[in-house]
Amino acid sequence: MTTEGPRSAGRVVNTGMGVVSPYGAGLDRLQAGLEEDRPARVVTDVLAPGEVPANTWRRLDRGSKMAVLAVREALATAAIADPAAAGVVLGTMMAGSTSLDAYLRTVMIDGLDAASPMLFPLTVPNAPAAQCSILIGLHGPGLTVCSMEASGLEAVVVGTDLIRAGAAPMVVAGGVDDLPARVVEAWRRLRLTAHAGMTGTENGFLPGEGAYVVTLEAVGEARARGAVVRAEVLGTGMAHAGRGSHRWPGAIGPAVAAIHGALESAGIGPGDLGSVVTTANGSRTLGAFETAVLREALGGRADRLPTVNIKRLIGESGAASACGAIAAVLSIRGDRMPSPALGLAAQPASRLRAPVLVHALGTGGACVSLILGPPVAGS
């Protein structure tokens, strides 16, 4: 690991991104889909194995395949030739559910002896992160975060913490989720999802799937290898506001504290922000709660900040909040903007390149805030 000076210590930058979205595999296709303001929630691309042996790829579950493709792209766009030192942190809400469903169905119908031992390792949420470590050769820390809808963004925060703690010089972090049919049906019966024929903007969320990851590095490491820095992690904050495992956060205090913590660690105030990537997913309860949180945390600035809402396009999942971090990086870079409907294209260039607050809330009480900004001169 590269030794850093006192000004660089603790600084973490973004050098790459990788995506498997409902628009297809690859960051460029996500950008195009957002620019076109085109809703898409199911990944229809054939998930090709690339360098992974076909026989190995055939045995992987869908979530692991998406994760491997996204992580591989994130490393490639960061121009990391040897990822052995890298860690991986993936957040998920449903990874392993489809495999677990298939495994238990076989056990219940045909008995334990009929169940495939090859399927069993894929029945757990950490399967995608583990497969990324094995197949790509990531020898750093391998962690899985399960904080429901906030999982993907929380993984980015945890990845940042690992680098700041000196546990790894670089970490690929983000979220992955597929769409298990049984879970989607359960949401429908609980009347949590949007009604048929509706857009999902006010009467429930629309489930989505995909893998969205970013490459994070210690700034000294990135400088030493001449990496192109896309954005810098300026501040992070996390808190818990539980009301039960399947309910949205209750009291606004912890969520406000998470935002204030991110602002404080970034050394900025609400007036320095250029936009907010929201957690809004179509739930009226969640929307009202988040509005109250932002107004309390940001004061009068809250109603004047342009907001980015990507979940109405790509759907809700444990991975979608990590896509919010990617959207923030795109807006900071200013090279290709998300669509006008996302609230950014009409903003002055100076505001587009200002720090962005990415905000996520999860059922069960997770409150996560991340502030990304343009790289500081010299990074």
Side-chain angles (χ1 to χ4, degrees), residues 241-339:
R243 283 181 69 198
S245 59
H246 299 292
R247 301 183 67 184
W248 292 116
I252 69 171
V256 171
I259 295 175
H260 283 170
L263 290 169
E264 183 177 354
S265 61
I268 63 175
D272 297 310
L273 294 173
S275 58
V276 176
V277 180
T278 72
T279 197
N281 66 359
S283 163
R284 293 182 181 179
T285 301
L286 178 62
F289 179 83
E290 184 176 39
T291 297
V293 168
L294 292 174
R295 285 175 175 170
E296 179 67 23
L298 305 179
R301 181 75 178 136
D303 292 330
R304 297 194 298 271
L305 276 173
T307 59
V308 181
N309 179 359
I310 59 168
K311 291 181 181 179
R312 68 176 186 82
L313 296 177
I314 65 167
E316 177 65 283
S317 68
S321 57
C323 185
I326 291 177
V329 174
L330 296 178
S331 71
I332 290 165
R333 285 181 61 83
D335 47 6
R336 292 179 64 186
M337 287 294 97
S339 81

